[in-house]
Amino acid sequence: MSRGNYDRQMVYEYAKKWAYGRNPKYYNYDLIGGDCTNFISQCIFAGINQMNYNRNNGWYYINGNDRSPSWTGVEFLYKFLISNNGVGPHGKITTIDKLEIGDVIQLNLDGTKFSHSLVVIQNSKNEDGTLIAAHSFDTFGKRLSDYNYYDYRCIHIDN
């Protein structure tokens, strides 16, 4: 399977443009569970420009009512990225010191489950130097260490 090139600069530019706003091409899920993973999927899409339209286990957005669970769900995005054998983004679990711009961090905020997705916009190899962008709690350039969380996991997009 041929993999596309992941343009990390495009991810950064997209995150910078839309971190404090909402792209009208996408539904805003803030009032029905949060917009964080929707925004992260948009950022990833900006970098890869390729969706996976597999109805059973793909990653795609057509409209607010026609999208894959992995487009907007924290656990679903994680499972898609690390197990995707088809088109679209591919990810692998990594450590914070190996993250790059455009990679994903997911947070466990309550000690029971991962429930928040972030995109890396700068990495200095630790929690204090890793800067992220996110929705739901809109931010661009926030340090990972400024969040209150029980755990985090790092996903490197390896396209």
Side-chain angles (χ1 to χ4, degrees):
M1 176 66 52
S2 150
R3 294 187 177 186
N5 292 325
Y6 191 52
D7 188 334
R8 294 177 185 282
Q9 186 61 36
M10 289 299 294
V11 175
Y12 177 90
E13 294 300 328
Y14 188 92
K16 184 177 179 182
K17 180 174 183 177
W18 294 108
Y20 294 106
R22 300 298 183 265
N23 184 335
K25 294 179 184 177
Y26 299 96
Y27 186 80
N28 177 1
Y29 296 93
D30 277 332
L31 298 178
I32 54 171
D35 200 55
C36 66
T37 304
N38 177 42
F39 175 64
I40 300 316
S41 286
Q42 292 172 41
C43 290
I44 294 169
F45 181 68
I48 198 158
N49 199 29
Q50 187 178 51
M51 293 185 189
N52 181 320
Y53 290 98
N54 182 310
R55 290 284 178 179
N56 295 322
N57 56 5
W59 176 78
Y60 62 89
Y61 179 95
I62 296 170
N63 61 51
N65 294 315
D66 189 0
R67 70 196 185 288
S68 65
S70 59
W71 189 270
T72 54
V74 174
E75 285 295 332
F76 293 108
L77 178 62
Y78 171 74
K79 289 176 184 172
F80 172 79
L81 288 173
I82 65 166
S83 65
N84 180 24
N85 292 319
V87 298
H90 301 80
K92 63 183 177 185
I93 300 300
T94 191
T95 54
I96 196 163
D97 58 309
K98 299 212 176 16
L99 288 173
E100 299 178 55
I101 292 170
D103 287 341
V104 176
I105 298 173
Q106 293 185 320
L107 302 179
N108 177 329
L109 299 171
D110 64 3
T112 61
K113 68 183 185 303
F114 287 89
S115 60
H116 193 45
S117 297
L118 319 164
V119 67
V120 175
I121 59 165
Q122 177 183 314
N123 187 20
S124 295
K125 313 298 183 203
N126 59 50
E127 295 170 45
D128 282 334
T130 298
L131 304 182
I132 57 86
H135 270 188
S136 296
F137 308 104
D138 294 3
T139 191
F140 183 85
K142 184 174 183 173
R143 294 181 312 176
L144 178 60
S145 61
D146 289 339
Y147 280 89
N148 291 318
Y149 54 84
Y150 286 88
D151 197 8
Y152 65 87
R153 63 184 173 204
C154 303
I155 308 162
H156 175 69
I157 307 298
D158 67 352
N159 290 63

